[in-house]
Amino acid sequence: MKEVNFYTVFSHPAPLDDPTPSATATGPSLAVKRNADGSLTLTWTGSLQSADTVNGTYQAQSGSSPLAVQPSATAKFYRAH
């Protein structure tokens, strides 16, 4: 069997015209802290969304960062968007 090699060549526009985000650009973030009373404090940048299943339909979550939530018996999933 012969060996096959693939090579990819990228060319970039001039730095001022380059649409690639800089290495210092940051996306949304989400941090979770468990409080002594059992609640969770969510702190995020961007917007917060929640869903009842990990693959579910995420909807905008009301409130501003930081937000305290009380866990319940049912699952809840959060993401920063």
Side-chain angles (χ1 to χ4, degrees), residues 17-80:
D17 299 330
D18 189 353
T20 308
S22 70
T24 59
T26 59
S29 65
L30 174 62
V32 181
K33 176 185 168 193
R34 180 176 297 275
N35 302 312
D37 66 358
S39 67
L40 301 173
T41 297
L42 307 178
T43 306
W44 68 93
T45 61
S47 60
L48 184 66
Q49 298 177 331
S50 65
D52 293 331
T53 63
V54 71
N55 293 323
T57 303
Y58 282 81
Q59 301 293 324
Q61 178 72 39
S62 62
S64 59
S65 180
L67 178 68
V69 295
Q70 188 63 45
S72 64
T74 59
K76 194 70 155 182
F77 298 87
Y78 296 90
R79 70 180 183 188

Side-chain angles (χ1 to χ4, degrees), residues 6-20:
F6 293 94
Y7 296 94
T8 304
V9 177
F10 295 97
S11 68
H12 290 283
L16 293 177
D17 299 330
D18 189 353
T20 308

